Amino acid sequence: MDPNKFRESRQAINRLCKSVDNLIEEKSMEASTEIYEEAYAKWETLNPLAEGEIQERSVKNLSVKINGLSMRIAKLKPAKKPSVRGAKKEPTGIVWDEERVGQLAPAFLKKLFANMAKDSGATVCFGTTGKGIRPNYQIQFSSEAIIVFTGSGHKPLDKPLSAGSKKISQPFSYEVVGSALGMK
């Protein structure tokens, strides 16, 4: 083969190999495989045209480089596709209304009602995260004092529920909790 054409072909293959190498470094399996296949096809075309010891050695060196790239591509992992099952969704939160309050367990409501301390001006707000079975709740008494309780043990917490966020429900009156318990 003409030495100048051989050199141009060899340099084109080397440029493709360098591109594949960069793509492997970026862990881009699809793109590196695509360019690798192009480089391999050019090498296959060049291989039988090599004449003389220098061109044959050059083609052999290219085959070693291409085989090395092939092994490195094989070690790459394909890009992860977002799974439908584990997809993170924006939390919707629990929407609290009087009907939902009435669906809380009677034992839960009795303890909540007891924590309202017979203050008919008190209101309660529920946490909107979790499953809504034993929600954390916040009682605001008529004296403007606010106490937050755990839903599981009805024990006071140090920090209030985030008032401005979507993690707290609308307030429900003492009467609503009482009627949910059957005490009118």
Side-chain angles (χ1 to χ4, degrees), residues 27-127:
K27 299 191 182 331
S28 176
M29 183 179 182
E30 292 82 16
S32 59
T33 303
E34 186 178 314
I35 295 174
Y36 166 81
E37 288 171 356
E38 183 182 343
Y40 185 79
K42 287 188 178 208
W43 174 82
E44 276 187 322
T45 305
L46 183 64
N47 189 20
L49 301 175
E51 297 173 350
E53 185 181 336
I54 294 174
Q55 288 184 2
E56 287 174 2
R57 189 171 358 127
S58 184
V59 167
K60 186 176 180 184
N61 288 342
L62 282 174
S63 80
V64 169
K65 184 182 282 190
I66 287 174
N67 286 337
L69 290 174
S70 172
M71 289 188 296
R72 289 182 59 207
I73 289 172
K75 291 179 182 178
L76 288 177
K77 295 179 182 170
K80 291 186 177 180
K81 295 175 183 146
S83 72
V84 175
R85 197 172 100 190
K88 295 280 183 189
K89 293 185 276 185
E90 195 62 35
T92 54
I94 301 167
V95 179
W96 288 99
D97 56 15
E98 290 185 28
E99 181 182 344
R100 179 107 193 202
V101 172
Q103 292 172 352
L104 289 169
F108 179 89
L109 287 171
K110 283 179 189 171
K111 290 180 181 178
L112 181 144
F113 200 66
N115 283 336
M116 292 180 95
K118 296 185 181 176
D119 182 350
S120 60
T123 59
V124 62
C125 297
F126 296 98

Side-chain angles (χ1 to χ4, degrees), residues 116-169:
M116 292 180 95
K118 296 185 181 176
D119 182 350
S120 60
T123 59
V124 62
C125 297
F126 296 98
T128 59
T129 59
K131 296 180 181 174
I133 298 169
R134 292 184 307 250
N136 290 351
Y137 57 94
Q138 170 177 298
I139 299 174
Q140 182 169 359
F141 296 97
S142 54
S143 66
E144 300 297 320
I146 296 175
I147 302 177
V148 180
F149 294 90
T150 64
S152 57
H154 299 275
K155 305 259 188 276
L157 288 172
D158 294 333
K159 61 179 186 168
L161 296 174
S162 306
S165 75
K166 296 177 181 173
K167 294 182 179 179
I168 188 168
S169 74

